[in-house]
Amino acid sequence: MVDSSLAQSLKERILVLDFGSQYTQLIARRIRETGVFSEVRSHDIPFVEIARFKPTGIVLSGGPATVTEKFTAKVEVDVLEMGIPVLGICYGMQTMVDQLGGRVENSNVHEYGATQISTVNESLLLSDLVQADVKGESLKLDVWMSHGDRVIQLPDGFETIAQSAASPYAAIANHERNLFGLQFHPEVTHTPQGQQIIQRFIHDVCQCSPLWVTDSIIQDLVNSIREKVGSDKVVLGLSGGVDSSVCAALVQQAIGDNLTCIFVDNGLLRLNEAETVYSEVIQQLGVKAVCVDASDRFYRALAGVDDPETKRKIIGRIFIEIFQEEAEKIEAVSWLAQGTIYPDVIESAGAHTGQATVIKSHHNVGGLPETLHLKLLEPLRDLFKDEVRKIGVQLGLPHHLVYRHPFPGPGLGVRVVGEVRKEFVELLRRSDAIFIEELIKNDLYYKASQAFAVFLPVKSVGVVGDNRAYEHVINLRAVQTLDFMTANWMRIPFEILQLVSSRIVNEVPGISRVTYDISNKPPATIEWE
Ligand code: XMP
């Protein structure tokens, strides 16, 4: 945490201590949306580390534990005695109450979902959020609750600032010590005034100024890259995805031609992708780049392989081999830049503590091997995706590239189910391009979080013209999700599905049937492999 040069360069920063809520990352994002840097760490990091971070305020997240058990997740009590503002959300409020001498019980009235609260007493967080009605009575505030336990007795110095039917202490405050608790979740959009409440905590209680804005982030990052790298040479694997493109743009801004990008065409890219990366990233940014067409090498290695994990490993290995060969040709390189972003950092920390299960090996997370003997430069590792995107646009990358759907590292290699053959990839590529083109035309692309076609290696009987056809199947998949951990299949209007289906069977010889995937995640993953 304290290694982050960005965090160090910012005087005001909020620490989010995580108790395992599914919304923890969202809390950090919401805080940053108020223009203030925030970072997530596990609730049980030693107090000395917290003190070294010098937070301006602390947020305790929700979590699945219950303080009514004997051994339960807590922060070190010193955290509550530091004299800096603390906001406890849901479990975070309950553990704060418990540690400070109040009482929490397992309530038989649970509150899950939309609830209304009434504000009572004055507070910096909630006062005047809703106007009084004509009779002068305070209106209720819509909030999102998700709890079984509830506070039944406040610690000394606290008072209630909101109540709901089931929770007499739906929000609490100790004004003297700037300690606040919310039983509801202000970070989710189902609490319509939630962002305003977070903003009040950050701006009014913690008294932070909105300094975390794109221009100053860019300036800080550019300065810190320059400071770190000096006149050394840097190499970067450019995939054409948002993260590596923005990373290239930033490093280029900082050190110019001392950066060389390596772009490997693995033959598994989308239609015209290699050309687009060349014209819209490499040329547009003016970065020095080596472009390698290695399609044949990938296809040779993938021949006869149909197991998804083996395919991923082969694609990852060949990529590393080529990258290594190309990097060795560049003289005196000492740094490897990577577009690792903050959710990757948080998730791999979760994986180390055993909190996350590895479902698929994402070869580009974790990066290139140590055998490269290069120092790692990860300028985006403090940033969320939406922040990376804003930086990309500001640095001159085209909007459509920066806001395009995510694309997996192994590319179409995991979208041709089973063995990857060049002719299958070709059919997939053309079908995928038709699907995406229609989504864009019909104003649906940005409503989907991810949309793509999948090639199924089964043959089905059809009639094309007057002839019997026995050809392959294309499946379409479009999902909506906030975090890609869970996802819903997208309700694309039937007439658009009809249009895409007709275009594919008419324009892509070799495909005679199109299906649409109506599986949610879980249990189905977003990709088919
Ligand atoms: P799943 O299929 O696990 O996908 O629901 C979740 C998100 O991760 C992407 N994905 C990958 N990204 N390398 C990547 O860089 C991979 O091997 C990989 N597999 C899945 C997927 O596209 C979705 O956005």
Side-chain angles (χ1 to χ4, degrees):
M1 167 170 69
V2 283
D3 293 339
S4 154
S5 47
L6 205 52
Q8 287 304 294
S9 71
L10 291 159
K11 285 196 198 71
E12 295 174 340
R13 43 189 185 244
I14 305 293
L15 185 58
V16 179
L17 292 175
D18 180 24
F19 284 96
S21 160
Q22 54 174 325
Y23 302 129
T24 306
Q25 277 198 38
L26 200 50
I27 300 173
R29 275 172 56 192
R30 295 279 181 249
I31 295 170
R32 292 191 188 187
E33 280 166 24
T34 73
V36 177
F37 182 73
S38 72
E39 201 167 300
V40 176
R41 289 304 306 262
S42 173
H43 68 274
D44 55 2
I45 53 165
F47 179 70
V48 283
E49 247 186 78
I50 296 178
R52 226 182 305 144
F53 183 70
K54 296 201 189 79
T56 323
I58 290 182
V59 176
L60 309 179
S61 84
T66 166
V67 302
T68 59
E69 285 182 1
K70 199 163 166 203
F71 298 104
T72 180
K74 297 181 182 151
V75 290
E76 285 187 39
V77 76
D78 291 346
V79 172
L80 306 173
E81 311 285 349
M82 288 173 86
I84 59 167
V86 178
L87 172 65
I89 295 176
C90 197
Y91 178 83
M93 155 167 146
Q94 294 164 3
T95 181
M96 177 164 74
V97 164
D98 185 58
Q99 283 191 271
L100 295 175
R103 281 180 55 209
V104 177
E105 70 166 10
N106 195 273
S107 163
N108 47 15
V109 192
H110 296 184
E111 286 178 298
Y112 290 111
T115 310
Q116 290 197 314
I117 58 167
S118 322
T119 56
V120 286
N121 299 320
E122 283 292 303
S123 75
L124 281 176
L125 281 197
L126 304 180
S127 286
D128 305 322
L129 266 185
V130 276
Q131 301 303 317
D133 65 10
V134 279
K135 286 189 231 142
E137 282 177 24
S138 175
L139 293 173
K140 297 200 188 307
L141 200 61
D142 292 317
V143 299
W144 187 259
M145 294 270 198
S146 177
H147 68 111
D149 294 352
R150 65 174 181 179
V151 174
I152 50 163
Q153 189 190 320
L154 292 180
D156 286 346
F158 277 79
E159 67 173 5
T160 180
I161 54 171
Q163 303 168 331
S164 72
S167 303
Y169 305 112
I172 60 171
N174 179 327
H175 300 289
E176 204 179 312
R177 294 173 62 190
N178 272 332
L179 304 179
F180 292 85
L182 301 174
Q183 186 55 72
F184 60 89
H185 289 272
E187 69 276 23
V188 302
T189 47
H190 307 292
T191 299
Q193 267 123 328
Q195 182 61 10
Q196 214 178 327
I197 297 171
I198 291 175
Q199 177 147 339
R200 284 179 172 202
F201 177 70
I202 303 298
H203 291 179
D204 302 343
V205 179
C206 301
Q207 303 200 338
C208 293
S209 330
L211 302 172
W212 179 256
V213 288
T214 309
D215 278 337
S216 67
I217 301 173
I218 293 176
Q219 209 41 58
D220 277 349
L221 289 172
V222 165
N223 290 342
S224 101
I225 295 167
R226 278 196 194 126
E227 218 170 273
K228 228 182 197 169
V229 171
S231 55
D232 291 352
K233 292 207 171 145
V234 179
V235 71
L236 177 146
L238 185 65
S239 69
V242 185
D243 304 340
S244 72
S245 302
V246 174
C247 187
L250 257 181
V251 180
Q252 149 83 12
Q253 178 108 341
I255 61 164
D257 274 358
N258 276 347
L259 166 71
T260 306
C261 294
I262 298 176
F263 171 67
V264 179
D265 182 350
N266 57 10
L268 305 168
L269 302 173
R270 289 163 289 190
L271 193 69
N272 300 331
E273 187 152 20
E275 294 82 347
T276 309
V277 172
Y278 186 74
S279 63
E280 294 189 348
V281 184
I282 296 172
Q283 275 193 327
Q284 174 99 2
L285 297 178
V287 293
K288 207 160 80 181
V290 178
C291 300
V292 192
D293 180 355
S295 319
D296 289 342
R297 194 155 151 188
F298 281 89
Y299 283 126
R300 271 199 306 275
L302 287 167
V305 181
D306 58 9
D307 173 62
E309 279 301 281
T310 315
K311 285 178 5 181
R312 269 198 173 73
K313 294 212 167 85
I314 291 172
I315 298 169
R317 176 174 53 78
I318 308 268
F319 172 78
I320 288 165
E321 280 172 18
I322 295 173
F323 190 88
Q324 196 145 0
E325 287 162 19
E326 295 301 325
E328 276 161 14
K329 291 183 197 159
I330 307 165
E331 250 172 66
V333 174
S334 42
W335 292 87
L336 170 70
Q338 279 194 163
T340 314
I341 65 170
Y342 195 40
D344 304 336
V345 175
I346 301 180
E347 273 151 33
S348 65
H352 289 314
T353 56
Q355 279 167 23
T357 321
V358 178
I359 310 283
K360 293 176 187 178
S361 56
H362 290 195
H363 82 261
N364 54 347
V365 176
L368 288 152
E370 286 168 8
T371 48
L372 280 170
H373 303 298
L374 296 173
K375 289 178 273 185
L376 211 53
L377 182 67
E378 296 180 310
L380 310 178
R381 65 177 285 126
D382 285 320
L383 304 177
F384 285 110
K385 193 86 169 187
D386 39 355
E387 296 169 325
V388 170
R389 289 188 157 131
K390 283 188 194 146
I391 291 176
V393 170
Q394 192 92 340
L395 291 175
L397 288 166
H399 182 278
H400 68 91
L401 186 140
V402 165
Y403 283 90
R404 79 200 300 201
H405 296 166
F407 186 60
L412 301 184
V414 289
R415 292 184 179 168
V416 167
V417 171
E419 186 186 356
V420 181
R421 293 200 206 150
K422 202 169 179 173
E423 62 270 25
F424 293 168
V425 172
E426 201 46 49
L427 296 176
L428 172 60
R429 203 175 257 152
R430 294 171 63 189
S431 308
D432 184 73
I434 290 171
F435 184 31
I436 299 301
E437 186 186 318
E438 289 304 334
L439 291 181
I440 293 172
K441 260 200 219 152
N442 290 286
D443 213 12
L444 290 166
Y445 182 80
Y446 293 110
K447 294 183 181 134
S449 310
Q450 200 168 2
F452 54 90
V454 181
F455 176 89
L456 306 186
V458 287
K459 284 191 160 188
S460 81
V461 176
V463 186
V464 177
D466 288 333
N467 297 320
R468 176 185 185 274
Y470 184 54
E471 292 175 329
H472 284 110
V473 180
I474 283 289
N475 175 71
L476 306 175
R477 177 109 166 110
V479 294
Q480 290 174 313
T481 170
L482 278 179
D483 57 7
F484 294 87
M485 310 291 273
T486 61
N488 292 327
W489 62 274
M490 183 170 166
R491 273 59 173 172
I492 293 182
F494 285 165
E495 55 278 17
I496 306 299
L497 289 174
Q498 169 62 57
L499 178 68
V500 174
S501 154
S502 311
R503 279 198 58 194
I504 292 176
V505 292
N506 285 325
E507 295 174 33
V508 187
I511 302 297
S512 58
R513 192 176 291 261
V514 177
T515 62
Y516 186 56
D517 183 350
I518 52 166
S519 325
N520 289 337
K521 175 182 179 178
T525 51
I526 296 173
E527 301 290 345
W528 270 48
E529 288 198 331

